[in-house]
Structures are given as C-alpha cells and as structure tokens.
Amino acid sequence: METKQFKAESKRLLDMMIHSIYTHKEIFLRELISNASDAIDKLYFKSLTDDQVGLSKDDFAIWIAADKDSRTIKITDNGIGMTEEELENNLGTIANSGSFKFKNENKLEEDNQIIGQFGVGFYSAFMIAKKVTVITKAYGSDKAYKWESEGVDGYTITEADKQSVGTEIILELLDDTDDENYSEFLDQYRIKGLVKKYSDYIRFPVKMEVTHSKPKEQSEEDKAAGKAPEYEDFIEIETLNSMVPLWKKSKSELTEDDYKHFYVEKFIDYNEPLKYAHVKNEGMPEYNALLYIPSKAPFDFYTREYEKGLQLYSNGVLIMDKCPDLLPDYFSFVKGLVDSEDLSLNISREMLQHDRQLKVIAKSIEKTISSELKKLLKNEREKYEQFWKAFGLQLKYGIYSDYGMHKDKLVDLLMFTSSKEHKLVTLDEYVSAMPESQKYIYYATGESVERIEQLPQTELVKDNGFEILYLTDNVDEFAIRTLMNYKEKEFKSVSADDLGLDTPEKKEELKAKEEESSDMLKTLADALDGKVAKVTLSQRLKSHPVCLTSEGEISLEMEKVLNSMPNDQKIHAQRVLELNPDHEIFGKLKSLSDAGDSDKLGKYAKLLYDQALLIEGMSIEDPVEFSNLICELM
Ligand code: ADP
C-alpha cells in the first residue's frame, strides 16, 4: 500500500494543529460536524430534484458515538460522500478547501489565535487524534474508500466496504499526558456540552446514544422496608442540538422571556438585560442579530481585561466568540451575536478585519444600538437612567476619544446631574429649560455632588436662578471641553473668569474697587510666593470670603485628574485667588493694609489660600503651618 505525502501547506497546517494549545482543541468537533452538515446540505439539495436519492429531509442526520474501550470517537453523516478523487483532493491537500491562507511565518501565538477563532477544517481532528480514518461512499458511486492517516507522515487510500452513501470519520484519541486529558472527549456529557456550545444551530439533528440510569422496579417488600432502589442503565437516542437558532425564528414566534432567558444563559449574566433588539436585515449583506444592553456593568468592565465583541456566526455556525470589529469602543457594553450567510466560515483574523461585508454590518449595528438607546431614553426614562449609571462613563470616554470624532453621534445620549433637585438631565433638557437671559450652559466640577454644592463658585449662578450641571467623573470636564458647545450654547465653568452675569456697570464698579486695593492685592499675591498667578476681587462670591479659580486652558479639576495619571511631568493650573469684597474679612484685610502691616497681611494670605484649597477638595501643602497660623491669629 502506497503512503502518500501531504502537500507542503497541508503539512504546515497539520504541524500547527498538533502543536496547538489545549484550550482550542475542543473545536475539532465543531469542524467535523460543520463538514458533515455541509455534505448533508449537498445531498439534501439534490434530493429536492432527484428521486434517486431516496431520502427525505427527516432522514438526514449526523451521528456521534464515543467508545471508551477503543478510545475512539466516530462522526457519521449521510451526506453526499466523497469519491476516491475527492478524497485525494480534499483531504490530501488543503489548497482546495480555501480554508487557510498562510500570511505569516509559523508564529505559534498567532496560529493559536487563528485556531481558536476560525474554522480550520478537517485537519483540526489531529489536535486530539493520533489516527484519523475516513470511510466514505459518494452519491452515485458503487465503491467506497478508506482514507487513513497518522499525521505528518502521510496518508493511504484503499477500497472499503460501506453500504450507504455518506461519510464516517473515526478518531483514535491521543494518549493522555500530565497536562492534557484527551479522554474527556469520550465523556457523553462533554460531547453534549460541545455540541450545545458550538453546533446547537446546525440545521440537521446531531444524534447520540446517551446512557441514563433509572431505579429498578422494587418488590413490595423492599419498598415497605424502605430499601434504596438499585439502578440500571438504559440507552436513549438524543438529539443534542436545537437546530433552529433563536435569532432565525420570526419575531412573532418569540416572547420577551425567550429573549431574556437566551441572554441569561448565553452570556452568563444573572441579571436580565435592560433592553434587547432582534435585527433581521434582508438587504446586502443579509444578517440576523440579537443585541442586548446589560443592566449592570460586568465587574471588569472598566478594566483592561474586559473584551468587547459580539459572537459571530456564519449561517448558524459559530466562527468567533467575541468579534471586536462589530462594536465601537463607546458601545463596548453591548452583548449579542451576528449571523450572516454572506460571511465565509473559513475566514482568518486579518481577512475578517478587512472584510467589507463585516464593516457594513458593523456600521448598521452601530446605528441600531444608537437608535435603541435613544428610544430607551425617550420611552423608558427610569431604565435609561439605570443604563446611564452603569455605562454612561463609557459614552463620555467616547465623546473625548479620537479627538472628538464621535461626539455628534453620542452627545444626545449624555446625562449629567443638575443642580435642580439633583436629577439627571440631558443637554437638550437643560438647554430647553434655560431662561432667555441665560447665555451659557454652566457646569461645576468636583468629586461628588455634595462637594460641588459647597463650592462658593456656584452661589452666584444659582442666585441668578440658573441650573448648573454637576460633573463628578474625571472624564467629564474633558468631554465637555471636547464638545465646546451644545445647540449654539457655550459651556461655561462656574470658575471661569467671566460668567457673563455682570452688567457693564457692575463690572466697572468691581474694576474701580480693584484699582483702589491694588497695593493690597499685590502684597497678598507676593506673600503667596508664586502659588497663585494673581489675587483678584470676585463678583461671584456671596457668603464665602474666598475661592480658588483658574485662568487658561487647565482647570483645577483637570489638574487633579492629569496629575493622578502616571506621567512624569506635573501639570499646574494657573491659580487665581478670588476675594469677596463684601465679606467682613475683606474689611479686616483692608485695615491691615492701611496700617501697613504687611507681615500680618501675608499670614492672612496664606490662611485664606489654604482655606480655598480645602473648599476645592485639594490638600494643603503644610498643615502644621496652617494650624499654627490659625492659633496665632485667633
Ligand atoms: P472546508 O470545510 O473549509 O472546505 P475542510 O478541510 O474541513 O475544509 O474539508 C475539505 C473538504 O473535504 C470539504 O470542502 C469537503 O469537500 C470535504 N469533506 C470534508 N468532510 C466531509 C464530509 N463529512 N462529507 C463529505 N465531504 C467532506
């Protein structure tokens, strides 16, 4: 018997399979079932026009049988089978199958990724088998053939004895090692699990004889004596796959519960989803999708470990568990799947990234998510707010990321806590409620709503009856600055130089006062020795004597955020110490200044500056000095 050599690329693929990492090995079953299903598809198609086939739809099936004694798994189909020539061409070389394109040199890492995610076909059998035997009889042929191989050494083809049309694949499992337990693939529960996991939606039944045990019939005596019954085994033929994927069913067939149960089971989340969408796109590319918005953020959502992505199916066969290219980062919280007949099963990672169909699908999915979120906001406010609390941060990152490229798509989904009743409002709601006299969208930043409420800078704006957006997440101010304005209204920090609230007369008045006190202000600034860019009089303060603001691009809050990141250079906001000219303390300062007591004035400057820092929620440089100064001046 002549042993034939595999073609060069096939050899490489085989080598790759044999050295694949263990966690990927289980996909062999998916690959073989998928091949069997394709073969049945072909014969079924023939049977529609050719009576000679002699089989009707219900006769077609794939059988799995595992035998622990001989350590073999057998996968049988009654599909179209292969002629001798087809055996040679299909299993002797992978050139025909188109299943694999060699892009990079044999890099194990990358290879393993490919094995894990994509259809790698028949050869995956060698990941778990030391010997593979294929016995097949083609439709219309009166001869059957046997193909045998033990891997890289080559294969043989001989005539065989087989009555019915179809293919039988026998895998003789590799021996177990310390690290790898191949025997588990002989376990009926493991097999059932694998079929459920990867091949649940194969259109033809995948059947197996499953052994169950049941209690034996007991005698009345034993029953009366309360004896535990003996058990006996019995065999039942089970269909392991459900055959029709939920997403392929018509929407009218499905209940809300169906969708929710499916989610909970499939995406392993104890909480029901907040919202789902079932998309059936009939156009090009044709696809079905199920999209879910979880009600809670997974524990690792805001970490690097979190992987975004949707399951990707090609006509019911899972080809990738988390296809990241289907979701933009700002919608990374969405769970679900996409199934398209227009995608090839055997498509490699790199090819997928550049796949035009996939890009079109991704675009359309993004649109769906966006419109579903808008619907939720409009019709189910409470749920939207729940969503916002779980994933709002991600949308705000989205506004800020890629230089604001996506801001227009996301801006109407944003929410912030408002100074009015501390409710969440959208920017649209904020702007719609603005009185005529209000020019800006005001915001204040701080680590919590309670903290912001106490900021002296908010007093004047509130006194004018204007609403303030409270920004409490680090990313908030960066997002707001990226937006710059909303519906032609500019965003304005309550700490900004000019809040646009003063009349020209008032401004003049303040200017005059400032000129009058310019010596004093200079003495105060000098005493602070470069800690502030200047000391000014403030129009925004009412009950508080001082506050700290900033001029220029960087706000105090941004300074905090930027300096909390791991970078070498510390960034400083240009600080401005503002004094309340109507406060008692101001009179005190004035009299010290008039008396020429610049030493004491300097001490007041330091105290007031530290006070302002504390109100801002920032730490003071020298708490001991602060405490000593208080005692001294008391
Ligand atoms: P692919 O499935 O991508 O074509 P495979 O390596 O899995 O690549 O299979 C190669 C070819 O072998 C298939 O295209 C098919 O023609 C043939 N083949 C594999 N399994 C079967 C089967 N069970 N019945 C009939 N033909 C099969």
Side-chain angles (χ1 to χ4, degrees), residues 35-36 39 42 77 81-82 90-91 97 99 121-123 167 169 346:
N35 279 348
K42 287 179 194 152
D77 68 68
M82 284 176 272
N90 294 337
L91 306 187
S97 79
S99 67
F122 171 78
Y123 286 82
T167 303
I169 295 177
N346 295 308

Side-chain angles (χ1 to χ4, degrees), residues 373-436:
L373 286 174
K374 283 180 185 155
K375 265 195 255 167
L376 195 67
L377 174 60
K378 192 159 165 257
N379 306 326
E380 294 177 273
R381 178 69 173 214
E382 218 171 288
K383 278 194 182 174
Y384 190 82
E385 290 190 9
Q386 196 185 340
F387 157 75
W388 180 256
K389 280 172 192 151
F391 302 112
L393 200 54
Q394 191 66 10
L395 295 190
K396 292 188 284 195
Y397 282 123
I399 296 266
Y400 169 64
S401 66
D402 299 331
Y403 307 100
M405 215 166 93
H406 321 288
K407 62 180 181 183
D408 293 340
K409 288 180 276 188
L410 301 173
V411 67
D412 282 315
L413 296 170
L414 296 182
M415 286 190 131
F416 295 100
T417 306
S418 150
S419 55
K420 289 201 172 140
E421 299 173 52
H422 297 180
K423 275 191 191 149
L424 284 168
V425 294
T426 64
L427 293 175
D428 185 48
E429 285 160 355
Y430 180 98
V431 169
S432 308
M434 273 166 72
E436 192 110 19

Side-chain angles (χ1 to χ4, degrees), residues 215-216 218 222-223 225-231:
K216 270 186 185 166
Q218 272 182 310
D222 285 353
K223 255 191 220 167
K227 262 198 181 171
E230 279 179 55
Y231 281 80

Side-chain angles (χ1 to χ4, degrees), residues 472-483:
T472 50
D473 284 322
N474 282 347
V475 66
D476 287 350
E477 198 171 8
F478 295 88
I480 289 286
R481 299 244 179 156
T482 308
L483 289 173

